[in-house]
Amino acid sequence: MRLPLRLRHLLLTQLFLLPALAFSSCSQNSSEPVEKWVVGLVSYDTGAQSLDKYQNFKEYLGKQTHKIIELEPALNELQAVQQINNKTWSVVFAPPGLAAIAIGKNQYTPIFPLQGLKNLRSVLLVRDDSPVSTIADLANKVVALGQPGSASGYYLPLYDLYGLTLKEIRFSPTPATILEWLSKGTIDAGALSEEEFQQHRNQFGTTKFRVLHTSRPVPAGVVLVSPTVDANAQEQIKKAMNEATGSIVEDAGYIPNVKVPDYSQFVKLVEKVRPLDAQVKKKPAVLEFNQTSAATPQPQ
């Protein structure tokens, strides 16, 4: 039986459309972008070398979450703060100073503590032959600090130096550089963590250093998740990291299934010190708050 012309035309149209629709559907599915998460960390001067130990973690997290995972090292805390302020980093392996800014100012969520010292302290160092014997003796002297964002190199020493007028504050790109400057006598004092001091102290020939002051302790570093990562995805990250193998956990340097440290007090300390940011770049550097700044800290 011969079909009416109109019906034949309709059937032919459908036969041509079906492959096109199928191709369109496949194209749409294949072109759907895979979400990318950037994992940030501070590597100082080691750069790409520091990423090696995170490779297994990167591959594992990508497989478990079906996301593209990218590792991004920052060479110092200042670069890291910029990335956190821009919320470029989805996950951060953050030392304490960086963690305080991310939690207090940028609403990042801590999910795991990092391995290492639980009670990090900052030390103010001088050369052993220096006449400086107290913090007050640093008035009108040249003092080196780490980059803004560093707990041991910046926030803790600034808190303890409050009230002094310094001839100049110099900013070191790495903790080892502070000891180098001290050994050459180009600064009078410098701040870094106890751990970094022990690590680098013997690299400068016969120069001996003396601890002038030791700060209060701060919490351990933490793994943070950005507020741009939704709640379901955050739980997915936590589950994957909790269930990772021991070798992956060890290489990445975090502690699963452990309560994160309380950052509330340290966040308050950082918020008190941050109004000094404008003062530290001046010569001389007057480390006092004006009347519109935050409440005066009480150095301990």
Side-chain angles (χ1 to χ4, degrees), residues 174-192:
T174 68
T177 304
I178 288 180
L179 295 179
E180 180 184 351
W181 289 347
L182 271 175
S183 68
K184 293 179 179 178
T186 57
I187 60 173
D188 297 294
L192 65 163

mmCIF file with all atom_site columns, all heavy atoms in Angstrom, residues 174-192:
data_model
loop_
_atom_site.group_PDB
_atom_site.id
_atom_site.type_symbol
_atom_site.label_atom_id
_atom_site.label_alt_id
_atom_site.label_comp_id
_atom_site.label_asym_id
_atom_site.label_entity_id
_atom_site.label_seq_id
_atom_site.pdbx_PDB_ins_code
_atom_site.Cartn_x
_atom_site.Cartn_y
_atom_site.Cartn_z
_atom_site.occupancy
_atom_site.B_iso_or_equiv
_atom_site.pdbx_formal_charge
_atom_site.auth_seq_id
_atom_site.auth_comp_id
_atom_site.auth_asym_id
_atom_site.auth_atom_id
_atom_site.pdbx_PDB_model_num
ATOM 1   N N   . THR A 1 174 ? 62.451 33.804 52.908 1.00 0.00 ? 174 THR A N   1
ATOM 2   C CA  . THR A 1 174 ? 62.492 32.469 53.516 1.00 0.00 ? 174 THR A CA  1
ATOM 3   C C   . THR A 1 174 ? 63.074 32.569 54.923 1.00 0.00 ? 174 THR A C   1
ATOM 4   O O   . THR A 1 174 ? 63.829 33.506 55.230 1.00 0.00 ? 174 THR A O   1
ATOM 5   C CB  . THR A 1 174 ? 63.366 31.492 52.704 1.00 0.00 ? 174 THR A CB  1
ATOM 6   O OG1 . THR A 1 174 ? 64.743 31.904 52.805 1.00 0.00 ? 174 THR A OG1 1
ATOM 7   C CG2 . THR A 1 174 ? 62.944 31.455 51.247 1.00 0.00 ? 174 THR A CG2 1
ATOM 8   N N   . PRO A 1 175 ? 62.771 31.611 55.802 1.00 0.00 ? 175 PRO A N   1
ATOM 9   C CA  . PRO A 1 175 ? 63.358 31.622 57.155 1.00 0.00 ? 175 PRO A CA  1
ATOM 10  C C   . PRO A 1 175 ? 64.881 31.574 57.146 1.00 0.00 ? 175 PRO A C   1
ATOM 11  O O   . PRO A 1 175 ? 65.534 32.243 57.959 1.00 0.00 ? 175 PRO A O   1
ATOM 12  C CB  . PRO A 1 175 ? 62.768 30.366 57.791 1.00 0.00 ? 175 PRO A CB  1
ATOM 13  C CG  . PRO A 1 175 ? 61.501 30.120 57.052 1.00 0.00 ? 175 PRO A CG  1
ATOM 14  C CD  . PRO A 1 175 ? 61.774 30.534 55.640 1.00 0.00 ? 175 PRO A CD  1
ATOM 15  N N   . ALA A 1 176 ? 65.471 30.789 56.239 1.00 0.00 ? 176 ALA A N   1
ATOM 16  C CA  . ALA A 1 176 ? 66.929 30.676 56.197 1.00 0.00 ? 176 ALA A CA  1
ATOM 17  C C   . ALA A 1 176 ? 67.590 32.015 55.879 1.00 0.00 ? 176 ALA A C   1
ATOM 18  O O   . ALA A 1 176 ? 68.708 32.298 56.355 1.00 0.00 ? 176 ALA A O   1
ATOM 19  C CB  . ALA A 1 176 ? 67.342 29.627 55.165 1.00 0.00 ? 176 ALA A CB  1
ATOM 20  N N   . THR A 1 177 ? 66.908 32.850 55.097 1.00 0.00 ? 177 THR A N   1
ATOM 21  C CA  . THR A 1 177 ? 67.475 34.157 54.744 1.00 0.00 ? 177 THR A CA  1
ATOM 22  C C   . THR A 1 177 ? 67.669 35.028 55.978 1.00 0.00 ? 177 THR A C   1
ATOM 23  O O   . THR A 1 177 ? 68.633 35.803 56.064 1.00 0.00 ? 177 THR A O   1
ATOM 24  C CB  . THR A 1 177 ? 66.571 34.871 53.729 1.00 0.00 ? 177 THR A CB  1
ATOM 25  O OG1 . THR A 1 177 ? 66.377 34.042 52.597 1.00 0.00 ? 177 THR A OG1 1
ATOM 26  C CG2 . THR A 1 177 ? 67.170 36.192 53.289 1.00 0.00 ? 177 THR A CG2 1
ATOM 27  N N   . ILE A 1 178 ? 66.785 34.919 56.954 1.00 0.00 ? 178 ILE A N   1
ATOM 28  C CA  . ILE A 1 178 ? 66.919 35.712 58.185 1.00 0.00 ? 178 ILE A CA  1
ATOM 29  C C   . ILE A 1 178 ? 68.209 35.357 58.901 1.00 0.00 ? 178 ILE A C   1
ATOM 30  O O   . ILE A 1 178 ? 68.952 36.234 59.370 1.00 0.00 ? 178 ILE A O   1
ATOM 31  C CB  . ILE A 1 178 ? 65.696 35.498 59.095 1.00 0.00 ? 178 ILE A CB  1
ATOM 32  C CG1 . ILE A 1 178 ? 64.481 36.203 58.496 1.00 0.00 ? 178 ILE A CG1 1
ATOM 33  C CG2 . ILE A 1 178 ? 65.962 35.998 60.518 1.00 0.00 ? 178 ILE A CG2 1
ATOM 34  C CD1 . ILE A 1 178 ? 63.209 36.083 59.282 1.00 0.00 ? 178 ILE A CD1 1
ATOM 35  N N   . LEU A 1 179 ? 68.514 34.064 59.002 1.00 0.00 ? 179 LEU A N   1
ATOM 36  C CA  . LEU A 1 179 ? 69.763 33.653 59.640 1.00 0.00 ? 179 LEU A CA  1
ATOM 37  C C   . LEU A 1 179 ? 70.977 34.107 58.828 1.00 0.00 ? 179 LEU A C   1
ATOM 38  O O   . LEU A 1 179 ? 72.019 34.453 59.390 1.00 0.00 ? 179 LEU A O   1
ATOM 39  C CB  . LEU A 1 179 ? 69.777 32.135 59.826 1.00 0.00 ? 179 LEU A CB  1
ATOM 40  C CG  . LEU A 1 179 ? 68.718 31.575 60.780 1.00 0.00 ? 179 LEU A CG  1
ATOM 41  C CD1 . LEU A 1 179 ? 68.821 30.058 60.867 1.00 0.00 ? 179 LEU A CD1 1
ATOM 42  C CD2 . LEU A 1 179 ? 68.857 32.190 62.170 1.00 0.00 ? 179 LEU A CD2 1
ATOM 43  N N   . GLU A 1 180 ? 70.847 34.104 57.518 1.00 0.00 ? 180 GLU A N   1
ATOM 44  C CA  . GLU A 1 180 ? 71.936 34.586 56.656 1.00 0.00 ? 180 GLU A CA  1
ATOM 45  C C   . GLU A 1 180 ? 72.199 36.066 56.917 1.00 0.00 ? 180 GLU A C   1
ATOM 46  O O   . GLU A 1 180 ? 73.353 36.494 57.047 1.00 0.00 ? 180 GLU A O   1
ATOM 47  C CB  . GLU A 1 180 ? 71.579 34.355 55.197 1.00 0.00 ? 180 GLU A CB  1
ATOM 48  C CG  . GLU A 1 180 ? 72.641 34.827 54.217 1.00 0.00 ? 180 GLU A CG  1
ATOM 49  C CD  . GLU A 1 180 ? 72.216 34.672 52.776 1.00 0.00 ? 180 GLU A CD  1
ATOM 50  O OE1 . GLU A 1 180 ? 71.172 34.050 52.523 1.00 0.00 ? 180 GLU A OE1 1
ATOM 51  O OE2 . GLU A 1 180 ? 72.927 35.196 51.890 1.00 0.00 ? 180 GLU A OE2 1
ATOM 52  N N   . TRP A 1 181 ? 71.128 36.860 57.001 1.00 0.00 ? 181 TRP A N   1
ATOM 53  C CA  . TRP A 1 181 ? 71.287 38.289 57.282 1.00 0.00 ? 181 TRP A CA  1
ATOM 54  C C   . TRP A 1 181 ? 71.902 38.522 58.664 1.00 0.00 ? 181 TRP A C   1
ATOM 55  O O   . TRP A 1 181 ? 72.766 39.396 58.830 1.00 0.00 ? 181 TRP A O   1
ATOM 56  C CB  . TRP A 1 181 ? 69.928 38.989 57.201 1.00 0.00 ? 181 TRP A CB  1
ATOM 57  C CG  . TRP A 1 181 ? 69.382 39.115 55.813 1.00 0.00 ? 181 TRP A CG  1
ATOM 58  C CD1 . TRP A 1 181 ? 70.050 38.907 54.637 1.00 0.00 ? 181 TRP A CD1 1
ATOM 59  C CD2 . TRP A 1 181 ? 68.054 39.478 55.447 1.00 0.00 ? 181 TRP A CD2 1
ATOM 60  N NE1 . TRP A 1 181 ? 69.223 39.113 53.564 1.00 0.00 ? 181 TRP A NE1 1
ATOM 61  C CE2 . TRP A 1 181 ? 67.986 39.473 54.024 1.00 0.00 ? 181 TRP A CE2 1
ATOM 62  C CE3 . TRP A 1 181 ? 66.914 39.807 56.163 1.00 0.00 ? 181 TRP A CE3 1
ATOM 63  C CZ2 . TRP A 1 181 ? 66.816 39.789 53.335 1.00 0.00 ? 181 TRP A CZ2 1
ATOM 64  C CZ3 . TRP A 1 181 ? 65.739 40.122 55.471 1.00 0.00 ? 181 TRP A CZ3 1
ATOM 65  C CH2 . TRP A 1 181 ? 65.698 40.112 54.074 1.00 0.00 ? 181 TRP A CH2 1
ATOM 66  N N   . LEU A 1 182 ? 71.469 37.733 59.646 1.00 0.00 ? 182 LEU A N   1
ATOM 67  C CA  . LEU A 1 182 ? 72.047 37.860 60.981 1.00 0.00 ? 182 LEU A CA  1
ATOM 68  C C   . LEU A 1 182 ? 73.534 37.529 60.969 1.00 0.00 ? 182 LEU A C   1
ATOM 69  O O   . LEU A 1 182 ? 74.346 38.219 61.606 1.00 0.00 ? 182 LEU A O   1
ATOM 70  C CB  . LEU A 1 182 ? 71.321 36.932 61.965 1.00 0.00 ? 182 LEU A CB  1
ATOM 71  C CG  . LEU A 1 182 ? 70.090 37.474 62.681 1.00 0.00 ? 182 LEU A CG  1
ATOM 72  C CD1 . LEU A 1 182 ? 69.444 36.368 63.511 1.00 0.00 ? 182 LEU A CD1 1
ATOM 73  C CD2 . LEU A 1 182 ? 70.434 38.664 63.569 1.00 0.00 ? 182 LEU A CD2 1
ATOM 74  N N   . SER A 1 183 ? 73.892 36.454 60.270 1.00 0.00 ? 183 SER A N   1
ATOM 75  C CA  . SER A 1 183 ? 75.298 36.042 60.247 1.00 0.00 ? 183 SER A CA  1
ATOM 76  C C   . SER A 1 183 ? 76.188 37.095 59.606 1.00 0.00 ? 183 SER A C   1
ATOM 77  O O   . SER A 1 183 ? 77.349 37.259 59.977 1.00 0.00 ? 183 SER A O   1
ATOM 78  C CB  . SER A 1 183 ? 75.445 34.705 59.506 1.00 0.00 ? 183 SER A CB  1
ATOM 79  O OG  . SER A 1 183 ? 75.174 34.852 58.129 1.00 0.00 ? 183 SER A OG  1
ATOM 80  N N   . LYS A 1 184 ? 75.629 37.846 58.636 1.00 0.00 ? 184 LYS A N   1
ATOM 81  C CA  . LYS A 1 184 ? 76.394 38.901 57.969 1.00 0.00 ? 184 LYS A CA  1
ATOM 82  C C   . LYS A 1 184 ? 76.348 40.226 58.727 1.00 0.00 ? 184 LYS A C   1
ATOM 83  O O   . LYS A 1 184 ? 77.065 41.169 58.365 1.00 0.00 ? 184 LYS A O   1
ATOM 84  C CB  . LYS A 1 184 ? 75.859 39.104 56.549 1.00 0.00 ? 184 LYS A CB  1
ATOM 85  C CG  . LYS A 1 184 ? 76.102 37.919 55.628 1.00 0.00 ? 184 LYS A CG  1
ATOM 86  C CD  . LYS A 1 184 ? 75.523 38.184 54.251 1.00 0.00 ? 184 LYS A CD  1
ATOM 87  C CE  . LYS A 1 184 ? 75.783 37.027 53.298 1.00 0.00 ? 184 LYS A CE  1
ATOM 88  N NZ  . LYS A 1 184 ? 75.186 37.264 51.959 1.00 0.00 ? 184 LYS A NZ  1
ATOM 89  N N   . GLY A 1 185 ? 75.493 40.310 59.750 1.00 0.00 ? 185 GLY A N   1
ATOM 90  C CA  . GLY A 1 185 ? 75.392 41.532 60.541 1.00 0.00 ? 185 GLY A CA  1
ATOM 91  C C   . GLY A 1 185 ? 74.621 42.642 59.871 1.00 0.00 ? 185 GLY A C   1
ATOM 92  O O   . GLY A 1 185 ? 74.726 43.810 60.270 1.00 0.00 ? 185 GLY A O   1
ATOM 93  N N   . THR A 1 186 ? 73.797 42.327 58.854 1.00 0.00 ? 186 THR A N   1
ATOM 94  C CA  . THR A 1 186 ? 73.024 43.374 58.169 1.00 0.00 ? 186 THR A CA  1
ATOM 95  C C   . THR A 1 186 ? 71.705 43.690 58.880 1.00 0.00 ? 186 THR A C   1
ATOM 96  O O   . THR A 1 186 ? 71.030 44.652 58.527 1.00 0.00 ? 186 THR A O   1
ATOM 97  C CB  . THR A 1 186 ? 72.725 42.970 56.716 1.00 0.00 ? 186 THR A CB  1
ATOM 98  O OG1 . THR A 1 186 ? 72.031 41.710 56.714 1.00 0.00 ? 186 THR A OG1 1
ATOM 99  C CG2 . THR A 1 186 ? 74.022 42.808 55.927 1.00 0.00 ? 186 THR A CG2 1
ATOM 100 N N   . ILE A 1 187 ? 71.320 42.876 59.855 1.00 0.00 ? 187 ILE A N   1
ATOM 101 C CA  . ILE A 1 187 ? 70.162 43.156 60.707 1.00 0.00 ? 187 ILE A CA  1
ATOM 102 C C   . ILE A 1 187 ? 70.567 42.928 62.157 1.00 0.00 ? 187 ILE A C   1
ATOM 103 O O   . ILE A 1 187 ? 71.573 42.259 62.440 1.00 0.00 ? 187 ILE A O   1
ATOM 104 C CB  . ILE A 1 187 ? 68.952 42.255 60.363 1.00 0.00 ? 187 ILE A CB  1
ATOM 105 C CG1 . ILE A 1 187 ? 69.314 40.767 60.543 1.00 0.00 ? 187 ILE A CG1 1
ATOM 106 C CG2 . ILE A 1 187 ? 68.446 42.523 58.956 1.00 0.00 ? 187 ILE A CG2 1
ATOM 107 C CD1 . ILE A 1 187 ? 68.138 39.814 60.379 1.00 0.00 ? 187 ILE A CD1 1
ATOM 108 N N   . ASP A 1 188 ? 69.800 43.477 63.083 1.00 0.00 ? 188 ASP A N   1
ATOM 109 C CA  . ASP A 1 188 ? 70.092 43.311 64.507 1.00 0.00 ? 188 ASP A CA  1
ATOM 110 C C   . ASP A 1 188 ? 69.361 42.127 65.117 1.00 0.00 ? 188 ASP A C   1
ATOM 111 O O   . ASP A 1 188 ? 69.835 41.534 66.095 1.00 0.00 ? 188 ASP A O   1
ATOM 112 C CB  . ASP A 1 188 ? 69.722 44.595 65.260 1.00 0.00 ? 188 ASP A CB  1
ATOM 113 C CG  . ASP A 1 188 ? 70.542 45.785 64.800 1.00 0.00 ? 188 ASP A CG  1
ATOM 114 O OD1 . ASP A 1 188 ? 71.762 45.779 65.033 1.00 0.00 ? 188 ASP A OD1 1
ATOM 115 O OD2 . ASP A 1 188 ? 69.967 46.703 64.185 1.00 0.00 ? 188 ASP A OD2 1
ATOM 116 N N   . ALA A 1 189 ? 68.201 41.799 64.570 1.00 0.00 ? 189 ALA A N   1
ATOM 117 C CA  . ALA A 1 189 ? 67.408 40.683 65.099 1.00 0.00 ? 189 ALA A CA  1
ATOM 118 C C   . ALA A 1 189 ? 66.492 40.172 63.986 1.00 0.00 ? 189 ALA A C   1
ATOM 119 O O   . ALA A 1 189 ? 66.214 40.876 63.014 1.00 0.00 ? 189 ALA A O   1
ATOM 120 C CB  . ALA A 1 189 ? 66.587 41.118 66.309 1.00 0.00 ? 189 ALA A CB  1
ATOM 121 N N   . GLY A 1 190 ? 66.018 38.943 64.161 1.00 0.00 ? 190 GLY A N   1
ATOM 122 C CA  . GLY A 1 190 ? 65.107 38.373 63.174 1.00 0.00 ? 190 GLY A CA  1
ATOM 123 C C   . GLY A 1 190 ? 64.197 37.347 63.809 1.00 0.00 ? 190 GLY A C   1
ATOM 124 O O   . GLY A 1 190 ? 64.524 36.781 64.864 1.00 0.00 ? 190 GLY A O   1
ATOM 125 N N   . ALA A 1 191 ? 63.043 37.110 63.191 1.00 0.00 ? 191 ALA A N   1
ATOM 126 C CA  . ALA A 1 191 ? 62.032 36.210 63.744 1.00 0.00 ? 191 ALA A CA  1
ATOM 127 C C   . ALA A 1 191 ? 61.777 35.045 62.801 1.00 0.00 ? 191 ALA A C   1
ATOM 128 O O   . ALA A 1 191 ? 61.659 35.224 61.588 1.00 0.00 ? 191 ALA A O   1
ATOM 129 C CB  . ALA A 1 191 ? 60.733 36.965 64.002 1.00 0.00 ? 191 ALA A CB  1
ATOM 130 N N   . LEU A 1 192 ? 61.666 33.853 63.365 1.00 0.00 ? 192 LEU A N   1
ATOM 131 C CA  . LEU A 1 192 ? 61.280 32.647 62.643 1.00 0.00 ? 192 LEU A CA  1
ATOM 132 C C   . LEU A 1 192 ? 60.821 31.625 63.661 1.00 0.00 ? 192 LEU A C   1
ATOM 133 O O   . LEU A 1 192 ? 60.868 31.875 64.871 1.00 0.00 ? 192 LEU A O   1
ATOM 134 C CB  . LEU A 1 192 ? 62.416 32.100 61.788 1.00 0.00 ? 192 LEU A CB  1
ATOM 135 C CG  . LEU A 1 192 ? 63.691 31.582 62.452 1.00 0.00 ? 192 LEU A CG  1
ATOM 136 C CD1 . LEU A 1 192 ? 64.481 30.712 61.463 1.00 0.00 ? 192 LEU A CD1 1
ATOM 137 C CD2 . LEU A 1 192 ? 64.596 32.731 62.897 1.00 0.00 ? 192 LEU A CD2 1
#
